Amino acid sequence: MDPGFEAVLRQFVIDRSGALFRTAYLLTGDRPDALDVVIVASLVQAESLTEADMPKVARVLRNRLARGMSLQVDSSVRYALGRLRGPVTVEDVRVRSPYNTYRHQGLPPGPVANPGAAALRAALHPAAGSWLYFVLTDPKRGTLAFATTEKEYTELAERARKPGYRG
């Protein structure tokens, strides 16, 4: 992506999200770093297919950050590759980009999507939980399943790959 365009796009997303962030700050009195909130919200927006899952996805991201784990978010790889949709392959996660959360720990340097109000609320107020993973189990319904351990995640992912499985 053209660095100039990327800077303009990043600023647009931050500016658009600013009013929603200021409203959330006024309502909560909490003042986390605004850019971090927008980046987390952008990941939540890109990864969640339903508003109901957004607070859980935000919790997964926060839990992984708190443990020093790589986020390993597919939408960050798609952003680095200039794609909006589609599966992420083993080859894709090798892309050299600061946005690739498989290769780089912590948050990417900027938003990967334009977060809406629900994603910003979720980033500010994640659900309570100890989840570290999530898996898309039903693409048609947008169903995500959440797991606390790598073993649970692996089992969910294997079940999700089986033909006809709807979690």
Side-chain angles (χ1 to χ4, degrees):
M1 182 179 291
D2 175 4
F5 177 74
E6 184 175 332
V8 169
L9 181 61
R10 181 181 314 132
Q11 191 60 49
F12 172 78
V13 170
I14 292 168
D15 290 347
R16 183 191 176 284
S17 303
L20 293 168
F21 175 77
R22 283 188 297 280
T23 301
Y25 169 60
L26 290 172
L27 293 174
T28 64
D30 191 13
R31 193 170 195 291
D33 180 79
L35 181 57
D36 285 357
V37 170
V38 173
I39 293 169
V40 168
S42 78
L43 294 168
V44 167
Q45 185 72 52
E47 291 294 317
S48 303
L49 298 173
T50 67
E51 283 189 17
D53 283 335
M54 288 182 175
K56 290 181 180 179
V57 170
R59 172 52 56 202
V60 168
L61 298 175
R62 292 291 181 192
N63 288 346
R64 291 180 74 90
L65 287 168
R67 289 182 177 221
M69 297 173 72
S70 296
L71 293 180
Q72 299 183 345
V73 179
D74 288 355
S75 58
S76 69
V77 173
R78 283 190 208 97
Y79 182 84
L81 294 169
R83 292 194 327 232
L84 294 176
R85 307 218 186 291
V88 172
T89 66
V90 172
E91 174 94 12
D92 292 339
V93 299
R94 293 186 184 125
V95 66
R96 292 187 184 278
S97 167
Y99 284 88
N100 183 349
T101 58
Y102 282 83
R103 291 180 63 104
H104 300 282
Q105 285 194 290
L107 293 173
V112 301
N114 191 4
L120 284 161
R121 278 192 302 273
L124 284 166
H125 306 288
S130 57
W131 310 291
L132 295 171
Y133 307 91
F134 59 90
V135 177
L136 179 64
T137 57
D138 185 351
K140 288 186 180 182
R141 292 190 313 210
T143 305
L144 295 177
F146 295 84
T148 302
T149 67
E150 191 170 1
K151 181 181 180 202
E152 289 172 348
Y153 164 77
T154 301
E155 290 170 1
L156 286 170
E158 287 173 3
R159 273 189 272 159
R161 283 192 283 274
K162 291 182 181 177
Y165 176 77
R166 300 292 174 250

